[in-house]
Amino acid sequence: MSEPLFELRGVGKTFGSGTVALEGLDFAVGRHAFVSLLGPSGCGKSTVLRLIAGLLRPSRGRLIWHRRIARGDIGFVFQEPTLMPWASVFDNVRLPLKLQGRPRREVREEVERALSMVGLEDFAGAYPRELSGGMKMRVSIARALVTRPELLLMDEPFAALDEITRFKLNNELLNLWARESWTVVFVTHSVYESVYLSERILVMASRPGRITGEIPIEVPYPRDEAFRLSSRYTAACRRVSDELRRAMGE
Amino acid sequence: MAVAFDSENPDLPPAGPPAGRAELLVRIFGPLLLLGSIVGGWEFLVRINEIPPYILPGPGLVVESLLDNWHSLYPSLLVTLRITFLALAVAVVGGVGLAILFSLSRWVELSLFPLAVVLQVTPVVAIAPLILIYVDNITLALLICAWIVAFFPILSNTSMGLASADHNLRDLFELYGASRWQQLLHLRLPSALPYFLGGLRIAGGLALIGAIVAEFAAGTGGTGSGLAFRILEAGWRLEIPRMFAALLLISFAGILIFLAFTALQHLLLRRWHASAASRER
C-alpha cells in the first residue's frame, strides 16, 4: 500500500438508541487508492463513510489522519444526488466554494472545470428538475470535485441508476480518478461494481458492522468493457461473492 | 472526459410537448362559465319571482348600487385593505422571524409555540371587543385583530419549512464547515420558501377576514370606516343592494389577494418546485 492517508484503529460506533452499528474496525487507506466497502444493506457502510467525513464521531477507537486535512479536502457523494432544487447546476456545483466565502466571479473557472469533468458544461443554467437521474448524479460528483479534494467518499452513488448509465458513470469515474489521483472510498452493495472499480475491497458483515475480509483486485488500470467480459473479472467476482456469502453467514 | 449529449444518449432528460393549451382554457373559462351561470340564474330567479330588492336584489341592481355608491365604498375599501396589508406585513415579519428563532432554539420553540396556538384557536370575534376596550387607537386595535388571525399560518408553515431541509444537504453543509447563518440563508430559508408561500396565501385571506371581523366589532362610523361598517350601515338603512355591493367588493378584494399571492408563488417556484412547475406529458 502507498503512503497511508488515514487509518481506523479499533473504531466502533454505538448510537443513542443503544444500537451497536460498528465494532472493531481496523483498516488503513493509502493515498490515491480506490477502496470499496462492500456489504449487505444495514451493515454500517454509510456509517463508516460518515465517520471518515467527520459527520459522526466514533464511540470507540480512533481515526488517524496521516496528512493535514482541511475543509474542502473531502468530497462526499451521497446515494441520492442531494442537490438544491432551487439552485441552478452552476450554483449547486459552486456551493462548497461559496461556503468558503469565495465570491462568484472568482470561482467561475473552478466551477466550469468541474462541470466539464463530468461533461455538463452546457447545462450550467439548468435546474435539477430539468435533468435526468444520471445527469443529477454527475452534478453531485462535480460538486464533490470542485474543491479539488484529496479524498472522495462515495455512498452508493450509482445504486439508483439504470445499468447502462451506471456502466457509463463507472468508466467516467475511473478515468477521472486515473487523471486526478484522489483517494476514493466507494460504498456499494454490488459485487460487480466493486470488482470493476476497486484496487481493494473490504467486505463487511452486519450486527454489528465489521470487516470480515479484504480482497485485492490485482488487475491493472485502465479497465474497460473488455475487462468486464474477461475471465479474470469473473474469477474476481466469484471470489468476492464467496467472501460476501461467508460474511452474511450463509 | 467529454460526453456527447445527443438523442441516443440515455442520460438525456425525456423530452415532452409543452403544457396543454386546453388545460389553460379550462382553467380560465371554466370558473368564468360557472360564475356566469350562477349570476344569470340569480338574475333570472329574482325577475321571474318578482323578488323585491329589499329582500334579494338582482346582480344588475347590485352592480348599479356599487357604481352609485362608489364615492363612499371605495374609500372604505382602501381603509379595509390598508388594515389587511399592514396586518399581513406584521404577520410576515413576526411569523418568519419567530419561525427562524424556533429553528435556532428548541427552547424558544417549546416555550412560545403553545402561546401561538392559544392565539390561533381563540376566535377573533370573541377577543375583538376586548382588544377594542384595551387599545385606545382604533386602527391599532383593528390591526391587532387582523394580525392575530394572519400570523399563525405564516409561523406554522415557515417553521415546518425550515425544519424540512434535506438531511443529506445539512450533512453536506456541515462537511464544508457552513456557519449557522450560512445554513439558514442558503439551505433552510430556500427549503422553507414553498411552505411560507402556502402560508402567505392562507394568511392573505385570513387577514382580510380578521380586518372585517374587527371592523364589525368596532362598528365605528365616519370617514375612516372600513367596508364592514358600510355593510352595517346599509343594513340599518335597509339598503340591501348597497349591502351586497360592499360584500361584492370584499369578495373581489379577497380574490385579488389570493390571485396575487398565487402569481407570486408561481413566479418564485415555477422553475424548481413541483407545486408550481408545469408537468411534462
Side-chain angles (χ1 to χ4, degrees):
Chain A
M1 188 175 72
S2 58
E3 174 200 348
L5 177 64
F6 68 89
E7 62 182 297
L8 275 72
R9 280 196 202 152
V11 167
K13 177 70 189 172
T14 304
F15 287 113
S17 59
T19 307
V20 182
L22 297 171
E23 198 58 83
L25 291 190
D26 280 297
F27 68 88
V29 172
R31 283 190 78 199
H32 315 309
F34 199 122
V35 176
S36 282
L37 290 172
L38 174 73
S41 294
C43 73
K45 305 183 292 288
S46 301
T47 308
V48 177
L49 280 200
R50 282 167 192 268
L51 283 169
I52 298 169
L55 296 171
L56 288 176
R57 283 189 184 171
S59 310
R60 293 167 293 287
R62 289 167 66 203
L63 168 66
I64 301 161
W65 290 97
H66 292 277
R67 285 175 68 84
R68 202 178 129 72
I69 289 290
R71 299 269 181 212
D73 282 346
I74 300 178
F76 203 117
V77 181
F78 295 88
Q79 187 171 353
E80 301 295 326
T82 314
L83 302 176
M84 299 178 295
W86 56 83
S88 66
V89 164
F90 184 94
D91 286 332
N92 267 288
V93 174
R94 185 172 70 105
L95 177 72
L97 303 173
K98 184 177 176 177
L99 294 177
Q100 287 176 353
R102 295 175 61 187
R104 192 184 176 97
R105 60 181 184 286
E106 233 180 59
V107 300
R108 175 166 288 282
E109 247 176 62
E110 295 285 305
V111 175
E112 282 168 358
R113 173 188 152 274
L115 281 173
S116 74
M117 281 166 91
V118 298
L120 285 181
E121 56 271 46
D122 295 337
F123 289 82
Y127 279 73
R129 72 180 307 277
E130 296 162 356
L131 306 177
S132 68
M135 291 163 88
K136 284 180 195 163
M137 196 43 83
R138 283 162 200 261
V139 178
S140 182
I141 293 171
R143 181 180 57 196
L145 301 183
V146 76
T147 56
R148 299 174 190 255
E150 171 85 23
L151 171 65
L152 188 60
L153 303 172
M154 305 185 87
D155 189 1
E156 301 191 43
F158 310 136
L161 303 177
D162 63 87
E163 196 152 287
I164 297 170
T165 311
R166 194 163 64 238
F167 282 5
K168 199 164 157 45
L169 290 180
N170 281 168
N171 288 334
E172 288 170 8
L173 177 63
L174 280 187
N175 289 340
L176 282 172
W177 172 68
R179 206 172 73 199
E180 304 287 326
S181 309
W182 344 278
T183 307
V184 180
V185 180
F186 190 94
V187 160
T188 179
H189 56 238
S190 163
V191 169
Y192 307 106
E193 190 171 50
S194 65
V195 170
Y196 187 72
L197 294 174
S198 327
E199 292 177 303
R200 201 170 130 221
I201 299 172
L202 301 171
V203 179
M204 290 185 71
S206 47
R207 295 193 193 96
R210 62 202 183 279
I211 288 169
T212 58
E214 182 175 335
I215 301 171
I217 307 295
E218 284 152 347
V219 178
Y221 296 92
R223 295 174 186 173
D224 54 18
E225 293 309 313
F227 173 54
R228 278 192 207 277
L229 303 171
S230 69
S231 55
R232 293 171 85 182
Y233 179 69
T234 318
C237 287
R238 192 172 303 132
R239 212 165 67 240
V240 175
S241 290
D242 289 344
E243 184 59 45
L244 186 61
R245 215 171 287 127
R246 259 197 302 281
M248 292 168 77
E250 286 177 16
Chain B
M1 179 190 57
V3 181
F5 286 90
D6 55 37
S7 57
E8 300 290 310
N9 194 327
D11 261 6
L12 271 178
R21 207 172 278 175
E23 191 189 312
L24 191 69
L25 289 176
V26 170
R27 200 176 273 220
I28 294 169
F29 290 107
L32 282 180
L33 203 69
L34 185 70
L35 191 69
S37 312
I38 292 171
V39 171
W42 174 10
E43 184 73 48
F44 176 75
L45 280 176
V46 167
R47 284 181 187 227
I48 206 89
N49 294 309
E50 293 178 351
I51 301 173
Y54 56 85
I55 294 185
L56 180 67
L61 190 58
V62 171
V63 172
E64 204 182 306
S65 170
L66 177 66
L67 296 175
D68 288 347
N69 293 287
W70 187 250
H71 62 281
S72 66
L73 291 178
Y74 178 66
S76 295
L77 172 70
L78 292 185
V79 168
T80 302
L81 285 181
R82 189 169 146 256
I83 296 292
T84 302
F85 284 115
L86 270 176
L88 196 58
V90 180
V92 167
V93 173
V96 172
L98 208 53
I100 288 173
L101 208 59
F102 285 179
S103 78
L104 296 176
S105 165
R106 185 89 181 123
W107 287 101
V108 175
E109 183 183 3
L110 289 173
S111 313
L112 288 184
F113 202 78
L115 202 67
V117 175
V118 169
L119 272 181
Q120 166 67 13
V121 297
T122 311
V124 69
V125 71
I127 338 174
L130 281 175
I131 293 171
L132 286 158
I133 290 170
Y134 295 129
V135 180
D136 282 341
N137 186 316
I138 292 290
T139 307
L140 184 61
L142 298 180
L143 191 62
I144 291 171
C145 291
W147 171 80
I148 285 174
V149 241
F151 165 74
F152 193 77
I154 305 263
L155 171 68
S156 173
N157 277 30
T158 311
S159 286
M160 191 191 279
L162 289 170
S164 73
D166 185 289
H167 283 236
N168 282 338
L169 273 173
R170 285 192 212 180
D171 281 346
L172 200 74
F173 272 68
E174 199 183 323
L175 179 72
Y176 289 117
S179 63
R180 283 180 104 182
W181 173 246
Q182 284 178 316
Q183 281 211 27
L184 179 70
L185 199 66
H186 302 306
L187 176 62
R188 287 179 182 260
L189 284 176
S191 299
L193 186 63
Y195 295 82
F196 162 74
L197 290 170
L200 189 64
R201 274 209 309 189
I202 301 168
L206 286 180
L208 180 65
I209 293 171
I212 298 285
V213 168
E215 282 174 9
F216 265 117
T220 49
T223 48
S225 308
L227 280 175
F229 176 73
R230 295 296 164 212
I231 290 176
L232 287 173
E233 184 190 49
W236 295 326
R237 295 178 185 173
L238 264 183
E239 291 173 348
I240 307 302
R242 190 162 166 251
M243 208 172 170
F244 269 87
L247 200 59
L248 192 66
L249 270 186
I250 292 172
S251 298
F252 270 131
I255 291 167
L256 283 180
I257 289 170
F258 181 82
L259 288 179
F261 288 137
T262 303
L264 181 70
Q265 189 175 23
H266 182 74
L267 197 72
L268 295 177
L269 304 182
R270 77 200 141 98
R271 282 208 75 177
W272 64 274
H273 199 260
S275 67
S278 61
R279 204 169 150 213
E280 299 282 355
R281 284 177 191 277

